[in-house]
Amino acid sequence: MIDLHYVATANGMKIAIMLQELGLDYRVINYGLFEGEHLTAAFKRINPNNKLPAIIDHDPAGGGDPLPVFETGAILLYLAEKSGRFLPAGPRDRAVAQQWLFWQMAGLGPMHGQAHHFLRYAPDGQDYGKTRYANEALRLLKVLEYRLAQADYLAGEYSIADMATWPWVGGAALIDIDITQFPAMADWVERVGARPAVQAAVAGKDTAVPPEYLQKHAVLTPEQWSNMFGEKLLAASDLR
Ligand SMILES: N[C@@H](CCC(=O)N[C@@H](CS)C(=O)NCC(=O)O)C(=O)O
């Protein structure tokens, strides 16, 4: 059994997809981000970074105590290695899959995350930040289009690199990027989205993205702001 400590965002969706693909037994523990439900000492013992998602594997690879794993790239790699699936076996193909996974983790995810922050959440103004991250978000999608014009999937075959990337591309419209301008990417979005496991994760009663996370311009209460970006968030790093 795997516990999935979850919020229905692009990062959460990566792991919901992988667990569905693997057909593993898992239970979802949902957290409200706006409510700051992840900013607790109890959750910090699972993820010292107080970010979602994280898993606890009660039957870990190699045996022993239940194993908590955080950071979506690490979770995907852990589950792929444990199951022997969705990560190519040969060193050459495996390197390609990992390179695109790390590209998502270090590039597309954080840069799109900042674009979402500046375009959807930040107070009015902020033109430098808005332009900087909107440009970078677009540039990274051009990189993705370049790759997907060469191959049906990021690693040639469907892998954890696609699972990491697909949910973020799905959020591009929220930062005013129309992906129909990228034909190879639009086909890949459909191809990945047609997989039964992906559809099950997207529509799952515990894993579907709720409408409040899809608002183009989110207006937060002072308390929600503090939980998401302010004092409460900062204070979580002092929790013991
Ligand atoms: N690099 C991390 C990012 C995790 C992350 O930023 N999660 C967001 C939700 S998508 C979160 O927990 N935000 C709440 C916060 O920053 O307090 C990963 O891939 O796991």
Side-chain angles (χ1 to χ4, degrees), residues 7 9-12 14 33 38-39 49-53 70-73 75 105 168 227-228 233:
V7 64
T9 59
N11 284 321
K14 297 173 184 177
L33 275 193
H38 57 305
L39 304 177
N49 197 31
N50 281 98
K51 305 255 179 209
L52 292 153
F70 67 91
E71 278 296 320
T72 50
I75 298 169
M105 292 300 304
W168 278 97
N227 288 330
M228 294 286 287
L233 174 65

Side-chain angles (χ1 to χ4, degrees), residues 24 36 44 46 53 63 85 94-95 100 127 130 132 140 162 178 199 211 230:
L24 290 178
K44 191 172 184 152
I46 298 167
R85 298 185 64 199
R94 182 170 284 232
W100 285 106
D127 286 352
K130 280 184 175 146
R132 155 82 183 139
L140 286 155
D162 302 287
D178 176 6
Q199 292 186 354

